[in-house]
Amino acid sequence: MAEGVQYRRGNLREALLDRAIAVLRERGADALSLRELARDVGVSHAAPARHFADRGQLLDALSVAGFAVLAERIRDAVASDDEPGVRARRAADAYLDFAIGEAKLVEVMFRHEDGRDAEAIGRSATAAFAPIQDLFPHDEEGRAATVFLATLQGIAGLVNCGVVPAESVPGLADDAIARFFAPGADDEQGGGR
Amino acid sequence: MAEGVQYRRGNLREALLDRAIAVLRERGADALSLRELARDVGVSHAAPARHFADRGQLLDALSVAGFAVLAERIRDAVASDDEPGVRARRAADAYLDFAIGEAKLVEVMFRHEDGRDAEAIGRSATAAFAPIQDLFPHDEEGRAATVFLATLQGIAGLVNCGVVPAESVPGLADDAIARFFAPGADDEQGGGR
DNA sequence: ACCTGAACACCGTTCAAGT
DNA sequence: ACCTGAACACCGTTCAAGT
């Protein structure tokens, strides 16, 4: 009852990643073991080394995959011709849904580990966040967009660690949107109007 | 060259925690091993079990200790008779300093782990954040305070994971303070004035 | 009460060897 | 090119036994 995607040769890397994401969701990053993944997928314990030089590279691959999914969610959310506040609200909801629904994965994605491939992860993260930058056209330094993003990530973090109950998320999102997208909210930040 | 606080009998728990915080700062939570701590402190590998039933309880204890330090930093920062915006700015700086300076510890503090003692950690977290709630006297539901806190935590998180460079923190803090404490910033949130 | 030593069942990682 | 099997040095956790 362990394997979700059968290993059929040539796709060991994919099979390991698929199984890894399942274990991650169920039991968290600390429970991820290369040996167990190999066992689940029906391969020798040394086989994963060919595709992931060490455990850290597996986590890096999961992070990049996670940011790719997040990028899609955000892209879909902002894709409309509505006013910025409405699009921002959709982006916020999409972000919070993902960051809270996939809490364990998001924790890995935002992990600060010394041996990580910061280059690849940073690239995929920046790409995922680009549509949010576009919601602040007058924000040349990207401050407002970054702080808005930080606010969303922070709300998700407080919920995920249990400090804030999940039921209060919609209200918190209301407050955040009002602060960043109320008429004139940008006036003090030097962004023109 | 390992031991920082010598174990002198009767304080094994303290000695292990002191050594643990040092290892955590140097090499991160994943590198924390009960056996290594026992070795560093000069005790048998089974001795820690008396004080921490498992590895998770060690992390819980580190979290509670971390929130105690954070509580002190926040308390000191808001302790003045200045206007709320100034006190909030000091609290924000203190929070960001701590959350970025002690990134590895903060990651443990905000970790979402299934077997954690959510009761004790939640209590110490709420206590640490209480002074920030007080900065929003008209915020009866605690929304503004929570979102402000989320914003700070989010900024620290983005810096710690490498998405945002540390140099931009002061500018981001400026933006955040302006959104939450500019004259009239509370008007739209139903907080009266 | 507090700690030790041995034991068990796991890990990650490496490396010769197979096909 | 890709995988296996054995090997090494680690883990966490438990538990009888010592003082």
Side-chain angles (χ1 to χ4, degrees), chain B residues 48-70:
Chain B
R50 202 70 40 175
H51 302 280
F52 306 104
D54 57 28
R55 198 173 169 279
Q57 290 201 3
L58 172 70
L59 296 178
D60 286 355
L62 288 171
S63 296
V64 170
F67 277 116
V69 175
L70 177 58

Side-chain angles (χ1 to χ4, degrees), chain A residues 138-141 185-193, chain B residues 175 179:
Chain A
H138 304 303
D139 175 36
E140 281 152 25
E141 299 171 78
D186 238 20
D187 291 358
E188 331 271 335
Q189 274 71 37
R193 57 167 261 106
Chain B
D175 184 289
R179 287 183 195 280

Side-chain angles (χ1 to χ4, degrees), chain B residues 57-134:
Chain B
Q57 290 201 3
L58 172 70
L59 296 178
D60 286 355
L62 288 171
S63 296
V64 170
F67 277 116
V69 175
L70 177 58
E72 200 179 353
R73 299 282 176 85
I74 292 177
R75 203 179 337 112
D76 290 351
V78 301
S80 82
D81 288 335
D82 293 303
E83 49 159 338
V86 174
R87 298 168 69 213
R89 180 60 200 239
R90 291 212 192 93
D93 288 344
Y95 192 94
L96 291 168
D97 276 0
F98 182 80
I100 294 170
E102 297 280 14
K104 307 253 174 84
L105 173 58
V106 170
E107 197 176 306
V108 170
M109 288 161 56
F110 287 91
R111 195 106 113 190
H112 168 66
E113 209 75 39
D114 285 338
R116 303 198 69 168
D117 184 356
E119 189 74 25
I121 297 175
R123 237 194 334 262
S124 58
T126 303
F129 299 150
I132 287 181
Q133 303 273 356
D134 297 342

Side-chain angles (χ1 to χ4, degrees), chain A residues 7 43-46 50-51:
Chain A
Y7 165 55
V43 91
S44 100
H45 68 258
R50 201 71 40 175
H51 303 280

